[in-house]
Amino acid sequence: MEGGIIVLNNEQGFSAANLRALCDVGNSTKKGSAGYIGKKGIGFKSVFRVSDAPEIHSNGFHIKFDITEGQIGFVLPTVVPPCDIHMFSKLASTDTNQADDNIWNTCIVLPFRSKFSEDFALNNILYMFSDLHPSLLLFLHRLQCIKFRNTLNDSLVVMRKEILGDGIVNVSFGKENMTSFVTSRKLRANAIRPDVQTTEISIAFTLQESGNEKNIDPQPVFAFLPIRTYGLKFILQGDFVLPSSREEVDGDSPWNQWLLSELPGLFVNAERSFCGLPCFSQNRGKAVSAFMNFVPLVGEVHGFFSSLPRMITSKLRMSNCLPLEGDSGEWVPPCRVLRNWTDQARALLPDTLLHEHLGLGFLNKDVILSDSLARALDIEEYGPKILIQIISSLCHKENGLRSMGLPWLSSWLNAIYLMSCSTESDVASTLRKIPFIPLSDGKYGAVDDGTIWLHSDALSTAFNNKYCPEAFPKLFAELRIVSPALFAAANDEQFDSSTVENLTRMLCRVGVQQLYAHEIVKVQILPAISDERKAIGNNELMTEYLSFVMFHLQSSCPSCCVEREYMISELCKKALILTNHGFKRPFEVPIHFSEEFGNPIDVKKLINSIDFKWHEVDITYLKHPITKSVSGGMLKWRTFFQELGLTDFVHTVQIEKPVTDMLHLLKNIMWERETISSGSVAKDWESPELVDLLTQLLSSGDQKRCKHLLEFLDTLWDNCFSDKVTGYCKINSSGESRPFKSSFIRLLHDTNWIASSMDNELHKAKDLFHDCEAVRSILGSSAPYAVPKVRSEKLLNDIGFKTQVTLDDVLSVLRVWRRFEMPFKASISQMDKFYTFISNQVATSKQKIMENFGTGAFIFVPYSSGSKRKDIVPGVFLTPQEVYWHDSTGSVDQMEVLCPVASPDSTHRPFSKLLCNIYPSLRDFFVNECGVNQIPTFRSYLQILLQLSTVALPSQAAKMVFQVFVKWNDGYKSGLLNSEDIEYFKENLVKEEFTVLPTAIDKWVSLHPSFGLVCWCDDDKLRKEFQNFNNIDFLYFGEFSDNEEQMETVSALIRKLGIPALSEVTTREAIYYGPADSSFKTSLVNWALPYAQRYVYNAYPDKYSLLKQSGFEILNLLRIIVVEKLFYRYVIKRADTTSKKRCECSCLLQDNILYITTESDSHSIFMELSRMLLDGNTELHLANFLHMITTMAESGSTEDQTEIFILNSQKIPKLTDEESTWAVQSLPPSSENEQAVIASSALAMMDENPPRSKRKTRTNSSWPPADWRTAPGFNYSLANRFWNQAAGGGAQTVKGNKDEEITEETRPVALIEINSDWTLKEVPPTIIPTVTLQDSETLDNQTVRISCGMNAAFDTTDLAAQSGVPSSNDSTCTDRDRLSSGTVNPQQALSTGREGEFVAFKYFVGKFGDPIVKWVNETKETGLPYDIVLGDNENNREYIEVKATKSAGKDWFDITVREWQFAVEKGESFSIARVVLLGNKKGRVTIYKNPVSLCHLGQMQLALVMLRQQKDFCIV
């Protein structure tokens, strides 16, 4: 009901005693001798779980127990009014069965507790009622029916119990029925609980109508009401002690333990009753199967009852619980039945046979048991095990197996074959021990007792006539063969066609061998051929064994492909082979081929007369019939025996050794010992036989036998020994192996056993050479070659003969050659290669080579040099001090030509010691490494020259003498020629007899005074002046393209030897006419001296210091004389000689007097001034510097501008304050003073008729002029940028004492800071240029202008009318007619030009790279006719002149005459870079390559701009 639970019961109702019991705890009226222990936790007090005030209405009692007022309500009832039972009975009744109010004697009302009003609590209560199971009625004896009405959903459930008899109880549950077989047993309980007399345990087996008892769900355990499931397949009822929760059987209760122990007996005893149920009356086996399905297995049951399965199976194993097949229906224990049998099995094993031998019977065929249950019950399974037990029992019984007959045995073999596939190995191993196989001799045998052969149809195809027993009678007499009657019995009609095949397979599986040749070898012969007992007196049998194996291995047997290696291995280890010393195993002693077996060597040459046992295989094998029946029988025997280890010569064996035992042998191999794992193994090759043989040979020292040994090894090496030279070491567990030299090859390496071609001793292989071209070409025939010469390349490589010469070899052989008593003979070609080889090793082994060379002579020099290089000639070894490489002067060669040549047969020391002719390609080796002198010593050359002068004219030997002087000069410069040597030469050269100096008049002279003045010519002009004087001789060293340059190479030495240069002994003597006013020139010099002082101070600090130390004496003594005309002549005071001619000049420094003509230009003056300041040598750069600042002063530059130029462009700082300024110490002399100076000069001479000057004397008395900016024409000159150039403007010509022209343009340019961030664009020169010309008085003062376009607009910044210059607006002139430049700011022009050069420099650097581009004006203005040089080689150098402008439309530019002359000279190597500066750091570069050629082609034109005075006018 919605408000609670109503319980109606039709029992007798409550009595007063019952009510009193409810009012107490633990005082139930259920207790008594019936065995109800009353401890289930389901007493009346449990109703308080759902209700706070349960009511009882029974037999007139109407009470309730209300606990809402306190705990007293549990035991103190309260009277309540009666309830309406009639209403409740209507609810509990069905439509077909109206309720009888009188049948309900008790009504219990359980109002829900207040908290149960929630839906969740109500659902829990409904769930408990929905779980009602029909099994509830099985063990409640008085309760027959349960009805459950749910008024919430108006449902009704009715469960009714019906006892059918024979223990069968049926419980209906709606339309379903549950039928169970219940068996019970009363137990006496007073021994466990004195207060309980008896108790009852019950088991209920659910009977399923479908008969499918296999799928049984786990059933609950009951203590009258269900507790829970434990995994049992049957329902278990017992009066178990439970905890208050009723969720588990108390496992610690002794009562419960006792009840558990009684359950197995109840279960086992229930089998017969279960099987006797009417439903199983027709099929007893089905009943047993159904019952056995209820047997619990270990692992299925858990909790308190987990031990029950083991207890039940133990009980079943001891009981007769299983029926046998047959009419007897005998019940036997599980251990005596055989399950899973078939009709064929029962036919093969009759009941009597099975019972007699195994004590078993066949299980009823209808009994079906699970495999797990069968195993638990120890039931035997029909299978191979049973069949083996049967056959074993029969074999152990006398005549047991024979009495069964071969047909039965065939059936048995067929059956066991079909069943033993899954257990093949176990079955076969067991059967091998049982003697069940019938043999052809009538006996039964076991495989383990010996090999049994199966004679099959395949035998006839595998065994042809060659394998027939007649060929091997002894062999076939030993074979055991399966009786053919076994297979004949299997061919009976009662067997199917596969039976014979199954028998064959089963026998093979057991170990019976097919009678094939391969199996005979493997199974019969291999085990027997090693039996020494059989070998005694059975030579024929042992021969047949080996012959059979040899012949079979020649066949195409497929099994041999797989097992051949194994068979050969077994034969090598075990086979007894007949030899000349009886039967021997190849594994134990080396066995060899005799001559009859094709041995190519005659071992008797080695072993005769020595104590050495040599085993050879007996020829009996060649006489066997099988040998003759096959082609090449001997070769087949030889091949077969080789596989067994027989050899023609000494035997080698592979041996495994621990690596730790071989470390002493592996010490030279670069292994890390840490990488070798423990237990590593090395596989090595050894030859004890070779050890013994070598011991015998070496003890006698017999070279002849040793030669035979090398000959034999050479013959057999490739095929027999080449693979035995390397062993392998496994160094770690990963299998990594490393090779090493085997002990076999080490024996040949480390033993002195090989004869040599040079002595009678025996040597190691490593000490001898192989006679080959590589060795003979270097060492010739005098080298230790191995004898005899080997032919095998592999032996050559393996044994270690030297096939290549090493440095140690060469040095060792050289020591032997030195000890030769007879003259050593060799070819020059061979010795050249000999020394070439040594020279190639110097880089790495110089110390070793030099140490060996230091012990004696080592350079081979032949006695005669007239033989061919390949001829064998006698010679001698000399030390480096006894030879020299080459005489570059040719004097020694000349001596050899003029002197007699030594006789070829001479045994004296060689005449020629020049190595360059003997070993021409070994100069570096002999000279640089061995210390051979490149040339004869310095002093010895003097003697050589003296000898040469006696046999040759100076003209013939002049160049050779010169070369000697060159050598002396080089030695002098390098310090090799010391002062003592110089003194030695000087002392001898002044001697009259040492006429070793060749002269131009083809005469030998010395420096003795009797020969006059001897000097060398350094000036052709001076030479012409003095060449015909008798008391002057000029050294003559032959004709050279540049004599002066050649003489300069030895000038230092010649001077040191006291031979002066012509210019050094020659002075200039001034001759002048018409003294003039010198004030202007003196002012110029005086003005320039401070600048010269700054230059010398910075450029030549050492010379300046010397000047300062002298107190500037030369400046104090300096006198300046200006004359109208000036000449000079040459004087040689030492020879008291004067030249006959005189030369005109413009400036001349003589002693302390500076002579200057009135027309002398400033550059010439500054050149002579530099001669005075710098020790008599002119300095062009100093003259250029002074000339540039002079030009700037003349051009109008201020002192500040000049100073900026000096500081920025020339990088010459100012003098320090402590330095006094240079100046001419006295004023220019008056005419009287001049006469005094002239009179005091011995060199000055006056001409009686002096020439008149064509120019007027300057009116200026000082320099620079006081107002030189206002000089006439200065502005015009400045406007046109025609700065006053010294002696010819742009191209300065300076005439010195040699009348040389020194040209170098100088321009005053200040350094300008330029930003390098420029954007450049290269433009090809595509515009056709034009040419105009400019006239002037002096051509040297012209600037040539090149125009780059016909109609290009002029730069307006460059074109402006100037004062004093004709206007460009003249009607007779156009802009194009006049190329005169506009007003020019010198500093701006300088900035534009400097910036243009920088832009061009960056352009070429970006195009060609920085290393090959040079900006010559980068640090200072050089005045050169070019600005940039491309290329680092004189041959490919290109010169770039940069012309810059800021006007993009300007189509012309200036070019000086000097620049144009340079362009003509260089041609394709000269280019003009036209740079247009566009602003914003952008520029355009156009390259005009070879402008001279472009002018010739009409692509450029020249324009000469004429200089005019202000009154001039334009001419078109």
Side-chain angles (χ1 to χ4, degrees), residues 755-1011:
S756 170
S757 62
M758 292 188 68
D759 55 33
N760 296 323
E761 302 294 330
L762 295 176
H763 302 269
K764 292 184 176 67
K766 65 179 181 179
D767 297 329
L768 300 179
F769 293 96
H770 175 60
D771 191 355
C772 59
E773 179 61 25
V775 177
R776 185 171 284 272
S777 64
I778 297 175
L779 302 181
S781 59
S782 301
Y785 295 108
V787 179
K789 180 179 179 180
V790 299
R791 300 181 302 275
S792 169
E793 291 292 335
K794 291 183 179 180
L795 174 60
L796 187 61
N797 295 329
D798 295 336
I799 201 169
F801 287 142
K802 301 177 185 179
T803 58
Q804 297 293 330
V805 178
T806 66
L807 178 61
D808 291 334
D809 296 331
V810 170
L811 298 178
S812 176
V813 170
L814 178 61
R815 289 192 292 270
V816 175
W817 289 349
R818 288 171 177 170
R819 297 194 295 267
F820 273 27
E821 297 180 359
M822 301 296 293
F824 181 74
K825 293 183 179 182
S827 69
I828 299 301
S829 174
Q830 174 240 310
M831 293 305 296
D832 186 280
K833 293 180 181 179
F834 179 84
Y835 292 120
T836 299
F837 179 87
I838 298 177
S839 69
N840 293 335
Q841 306 295 319
V842 168
T844 57
S845 306
K846 182 175 181 179
Q847 182 178 357
K848 179 191 295 185
I849 295 172
M850 294 304 118
E851 288 177 356
N852 280 270
F853 283 178
T855 59
F858 61 88
I859 303 175
F860 177 75
V861 179
Y863 291 135
S864 172
S865 59
S867 303
K868 296 180 180 180
R869 292 183 62 82
K870 293 186 178 181
D871 293 343
I872 305 296
V873 295
V876 66
F877 287 98
L878 300 178
T879 64
Q881 292 73 27
E882 297 177 283
V883 295
Y884 43 85
W885 176 253
H886 177 59
D887 173 23
S888 59
T889 66
S891 56
V892 176
D893 290 334
Q894 189 71 14
M895 292 283 291
E896 292 183 2
V897 172
L898 299 175
C899 296
V901 179
S903 172
D905 298 330
S906 174
T907 58
H908 297 82
R909 302 199 54 87
F911 175 77
S912 175
K913 300 179 182 180
L914 286 177
L915 298 185
C916 64
N917 297 330
I918 306 173
Y919 309 110
S921 61
L922 293 172
R923 177 193 172 281
D924 289 340
F925 171 66
F926 283 117
V927 175
N928 299 333
E929 308 299 343
C930 299
V932 172
N933 290 324
Q934 171 72 21
I935 56 174
T937 61
F938 293 122
R939 295 191 181 189
S940 62
Y941 263 119
L942 194 60
Q943 296 296 328
I944 293 174
L945 291 180
L946 187 59
Q947 295 176 5
L948 186 62
S949 65
T950 61
V951 296
L953 293 175
S955 58
Q956 295 175 318
K959 289 188 177 181
M960 291 176 278
V961 176
F962 174 72
Q963 294 302 323
V964 172
F965 272 78
V966 170
K967 297 300 179 184
W968 283 348
N969 184 73
D970 293 342
Y972 173 67
K973 289 182 178 179
S974 63
L976 297 176
L977 188 68
N978 54 39
S979 58
E980 295 179 359
D981 295 326
I982 296 294
E983 290 300 321
Y984 174 80
F985 293 150
K986 292 172 68 175
E987 290 175 2
N988 286 277
L989 287 176
V990 297
K991 296 178 181 178
E992 187 175 3
E993 64 273 16
F994 270 85
T995 54
V996 296
L997 301 176
T999 63
I1001 58 175
D1002 205 13
K1003 180 179 73 172
W1004 294 101
V1005 299
S1006 70
L1007 297 182
H1008 191 269
S1010 62
F1011 293 102

Side-chain angles (χ1 to χ4, degrees), residues 589-628:
V589 297
I591 304 176
H592 309 283
F593 293 111
S594 61
E595 182 180 355
E596 290 79 5
F597 281 91
N599 193 333
I601 63 174
D602 186 3
V603 184
K604 296 178 182 178
K605 294 180 180 180
L606 279 178
I607 63 175
N608 281 352
S609 303
I610 63 174
D611 184 15
F612 193 80
K613 198 170 187 179
W614 189 263
H615 294 82
E616 291 184 349
V617 63
D618 196 275
I619 61 173
T620 300
Y621 298 101
L622 295 177
K623 297 178 181 179
H624 191 274
I626 203 69
T627 306
K628 299 179 181 179

Side-chain angles (χ1 to χ4, degrees), residues 435-455:
F436 70 94
I437 302 175
L439 304 177
S440 58
D441 59 0
K443 298 178 181 179
Y444 288 85
V447 174
D448 283 355
D449 294 336
T451 305
I452 299 178
W453 301 97
L454 179 61
H455 198 296

